[in-house]
Amino acid sequence: MTVREQIKKYIASQPEPKRGDMQELHRLTLQVLPACKLWFFDGKDSDDKTVANPTIGYGLQTIEYSNGTTRDFFQVGVSANKTGISVYILGIKDKTYLAHTYGKKLGKASVTGYCIRFKTLKDINIGILEAAIRYGLRPRK
């Protein structure tokens, strides 16, 4: 199954209204960066044990670990959870940036160092979320 097929299946597996919100977020993110690399993480580790919620990933960055090894990973992730949807903006050095820049303008959302969590899209300002996604998908040095 291709990554696009996995993403489509994952979104289709969500109950409404979350399914519609996930489809809209997927469309919005691809509109921001149409040619970005797509990822799908099923939430399972190498032993097939569930360790996280499945996540749709967008973009490409190289993570460098303290031991000198590197790994390619996505820049922005979208994941459904029990109470709503999480949007992850990864690779931000300043852990207060998201909250200070977008937090108060987003609406009913919880913003942490790299995660924007909300119940439904109607609860937030989509234009501000799009700005955060644009920031997350910016080219990396």
Side-chain angles (χ1 to χ4, degrees):
M1 190 179 306
T2 69
V3 171
R4 286 189 184 275
E5 290 169 335
Q6 289 175 305
I7 291 168
K8 188 175 181 179
K9 182 178 176 183
Y10 172 59
I11 291 172
S13 74
Q14 301 303 313
E16 285 296 353
K18 197 179 293 184
R19 179 183 319 132
D21 285 353
M22 295 282 291
Q23 286 172 329
E24 178 60 17
L25 273 173
H26 184 59
R27 186 200 63 75
L28 175 72
T29 306
L30 290 177
Q31 179 181 310
V32 169
L33 195 66
C36 71
K37 178 174 174 63
L38 288 175
W39 305 68
F40 183 75
F41 172 58
D42 65 4
K44 297 186 180 189
D45 66 10
S46 58
D47 296 325
D48 206 35
K49 182 180 175 190
T50 300
V51 295
N53 289 325
T55 304
I56 303 166
Y58 305 88
L60 175 64
Q61 66 178 321
T62 301
I63 299 172
E64 188 171 333
Y65 295 100
S66 57
N67 67 3
T69 61
T70 60
R71 174 181 172 200
D72 286 345
F73 208 64
F74 52 84
Q75 294 169 281
V76 172
V78 174
S79 179
N81 56 55
K82 287 182 181 180
T83 59
I85 299 171
S86 295
V87 176
Y88 303 99
I89 311 291
L90 304 176
I92 300 173
K93 303 260 188 271
D94 178 358
K95 298 301 176 200
T96 64
Y97 181 82
L98 276 183
H100 282 52
T101 307
Y102 306 106
K104 290 181 181 173
K105 300 180 226 170
L106 266 167
K108 289 183 181 178
S110 164
V111 184
T112 63
Y114 63 92
C115 180
I116 299 169
R117 185 175 294 120
F118 51 91
K119 187 169 182 169
T120 67
L121 282 178
K122 69 180 182 184
D123 292 336
I124 63 165
N125 182 323
I126 295 174
I128 300 299
L129 180 63
E130 180 181 345
I133 290 169
R134 282 186 188 283
Y135 175 77
L137 289 173
R138 75 201 182 288
R140 305 290 165 96
K141 293 179 183 177

